Amino acid sequence: MKLSQFKVLLFDVYGTLVDWETGISAALQPILAGTSLESKPAALRAFEGIEADLQVRYPEMRYSELLARVHAEMETRLRGGAELPEPAGEGGSTQATVETSSTTVGSTDVGTSASAAAAVQEQPDAHTAFGQSIAAWPIFPDTIPALAYLSTRYALTVLSNVDRASFAATQRALEGPPSAQRFTFRAVYTAEDAGAYKPDPKARAYALRRIEEELGVRSDEVLVVANSVFHDVAPSRKIGLATAWIQRAGSVVGQDEIEGGKATFKFWTLGEMADAVKREVGQA
């Protein structure tokens, strides 16, 4: 396959275009300082386990609210000394439950322990602030120049595990102000739109259907560009989509070297991918 044969790039955003791991770990520091999760990898793995569980159990929960609940749950478990879950394996939830003094919180409850749910009510500022921290997550330095070039060759689209309001600030930061836009995303699809979080197949099926309806592009002309193997690369491969794995150095969440190595294309940065396209079309 050649990169130049595709018409649409379907991007994951957080982890691929935006350094969400740095953003998340920085926002978590106030509750992690002095704990066993103080290191960035440990904090991210704990975050990943709780987030994956809630996303599977509550696919229609808005991402900003889900993030607030993840924050409350992590704080509650750290204070109570409860064991934090390992990240979900491919194709399923962590199946984590939380023991309280009298009950085990199951899938029919709020999605967090009773004390964590109460914490969201009692201390809304800290948890809500974490849920709204998406706008502050830094953009990788190669992202904007790469997107500006790639937009001259492809229709740029997004399938992201967030809600519309949360993505809006990131979209403005990437595209630039209306008076001086660097490029535009031709279509944006979120978990809120699809009613499902990746890697649930419903999320990707929703995006592909909309791309064909709105842009007239079939799935075999779509290239999925993503950092997370668990959320994007592996499930896309399973349904026959071409994939470009952006293996950002030091990434923790959703990584799998073996599965990632099966991607159609592999690059360390989006800038490297843009350079590969330039060479392919004779513009390097």
Side-chain angles (χ1 to χ4, degrees):
M1 286 189 180
K2 291 186 176 182
L3 289 162
S4 55
Q5 76 186 60
F6 299 97
K7 295 181 179 180
V8 167
L9 301 182
L10 180 59
F11 286 99
D12 171 59
V13 174
Y14 301 99
T16 307
L17 309 180
V18 173
D19 187 0
W20 78 313
E21 293 192 355
T22 293
I24 288 168
S25 58
L28 285 173
Q29 281 309 303
I31 65 171
L32 299 182
T35 73
S36 61
L37 301 182
E38 195 168 11
S39 74
K40 184 176 178 180
L44 289 170
R45 290 189 181 98
F47 168 88
E48 183 182 11
I50 295 173
E51 182 200 49
D53 185 44
L54 292 181
Q55 285 178 335
V56 170
R57 291 160 61 184
Y58 298 94
E60 296 185 358
M61 182 182 289
R62 292 186 63 174
Y63 190 63
S64 56
E65 180 184 348
L66 187 137
L67 278 183
R69 289 178 181 272
V70 172
H71 188 269
E73 186 66 27
M74 288 188 71
E75 183 176 49
T76 296
R77 296 187 191 194
L78 286 167
R79 286 179 175 176
E83 183 177 349
L84 288 155
E86 289 297 317
E90 184 178 334
S93 158
T94 60
Q95 299 300 318
T97 56
V98 184
E99 297 294 335
T100 67
S101 58
S102 59
T103 62
T104 298
V105 178
S107 60
T108 58
D109 289 305
V110 296
T112 56
S113 66
S115 52
V120 174
Q121 299 296 323
E122 293 169 4
Q123 302 180 36
D125 291 344
H127 305 310
T128 301
F130 182 76
Q132 296 175 348
S133 66
I134 296 171
W137 295 349
I139 297 169
F140 288 111
D142 62 291
T143 291
I144 291 175
L147 289 176
Y149 170 72
L150 293 170
S151 69
T152 68
R153 309 289 312 182
Y154 307 92
L156 307 186
T157 65
V158 163
L159 175 59
S160 181
N161 266 1
V162 296
D163 54 84
R164 281 270 177 177
S166 295
F167 182 69
T170 300
Q171 185 171 1
R172 288 192 296 270
L174 290 170
E175 292 181 342
S179 59
Q181 281 191 316
R182 307 175 186 99
F183 60 88
T184 58
F185 289 109
R186 293 282 301 279
V188 172
Y189 311 116
T190 68
E192 181 180 20
D193 300 320
Y197 285 100
K198 297 178 294 183
D200 188 325
K202 289 186 291 187
R204 205 166 317 278
Y206 173 86
L208 292 173
R209 176 174 57 80
R210 293 287 300 274
I211 286 172
E212 185 164 5
E213 291 172 353
E214 296 170 7
L215 304 182
V217 177
R218 304 186 312 271
S219 61
D220 62 342
E221 300 172 305
V222 175
L223 177 64
V224 174
V225 184
N227 168 259
S228 176
V229 178
F230 171 69
H231 296 93
D232 292 281
V233 176
S236 295
R237 281 188 63 255
K238 283 186 175 180
I239 61 172
L241 293 176
T243 55
W245 182 26
I246 309 300
Q247 190 186 14
R248 297 281 184 182
S251 293
V252 174
V253 177
Q255 300 305 296
D256 184 324
E257 285 278 353
I258 296 175
E259 283 297 320
K262 298 174 184 177
T264 316
F265 307 98
K266 176 182 172 182
F267 305 100
W268 288 105
T269 68
L270 191 65
E272 185 182 344
M273 176 179 164
D275 289 341
V277 175
K278 291 177 183 178
R279 289 193 299 271
E280 211 176 88
V281 299
Q283 294 182 343

